[in-house]
Structure formats: structure tokens, C-alpha cells
């Protein structure tokens, strides 16, 4: 194998490894995003309820509690 051919083979392996890593990363990210949106589909409404109840609590706006 010539020097150029060996270098091309190494670059091909390097690009293959980089593309494989990127593909696995994107696949895991997509699966995590799908899982979190399915598990926490009502998360936005739940957080809104928590925020409004904590804001309406006596003493939460700096007033002293009698």
C-alpha cells in the first residue's frame, strides 16, 4: 500500500468514527427528548400551577404573615 493510500484509509476510518459518534449522539438525544415529552407531557401545566400557587401564598410577596 502506498503512503497516500494508507493516509486515505486512515482518514476514511477517522471520518467513519466521527460520523458514527455523531449518529449515535443524535439518536440518543432524540430518544431522550421523545421519552421526556411523553413522560412529562403535562409538565408545563404542572409548573404553571406550582408557580401560581406559590405566588398566591400569604407572605410570598414580602408581606408579613399575621
Amino acid at each position: 500500500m502506498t503512503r497516500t493510500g494508507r493516509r486515505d484509509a486512515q482518514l476514511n476510518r477517522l471520518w467513519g468514527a466521527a460520523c458514527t459518534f455523531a449518529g449515535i449522539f443524535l439518536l440518543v438525544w432524540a430518544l431522550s427528548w421523545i421519552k421526556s415529552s411523553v413522560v412529562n407531557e403535562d409538565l408545563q401545566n404542572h409548573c404553571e400551577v406550582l408557580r401560581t400557587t406559590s405566588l398566591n401564598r400569604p407572605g410570598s410577596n414580602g408581606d408579613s404573615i399575621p
Side-chain angles (χ1 to χ4, degrees), residues 7-8 16 31 35 39 42 46:
R7 187 178 305 135
D8 286 343
L31 290 174
K35 180 183 174 191
V39 169
D42 199 30
H46 181 69

Side-chain angles (χ1 to χ4, degrees), residues 2 4 7 17 19 27-28 33 36-37 39 46 50 56 58 63:
T2 65
T4 305
R7 187 178 305 135
C19 290
L27 178 67
V28 169
W33 185 80
S36 68
S37 65
V39 169
H46 181 69
L50 284 176
N56 294 333
D63 295 340

Side-chain angles (χ1 to χ4, degrees), residues 9-66:
Q10 288 175 342
L11 284 175
N12 285 342
R13 277 184 263 145
L14 183 62
W15 275 109
C19 290
T20 302
F21 174 78
I24 291 171
F25 172 79
L26 290 174
L27 178 67
V28 169
W29 177 81
L31 290 174
S32 297
W33 185 80
I34 291 168
K35 180 183 174 191
S36 68
S37 65
V38 168
V39 169
N40 300 317
E41 74 180 35
D42 199 30
L43 184 62
Q44 184 177 3
N45 294 335
H46 181 69
C47 291
E48 183 67 26
V49 169
L50 284 176
R51 187 174 64 86
T52 55
T53 55
S54 67
L55 290 176
N56 294 333
R57 214 177 46 202
S60 64
N61 58 357
D63 295 340
S64 60
I65 301 174

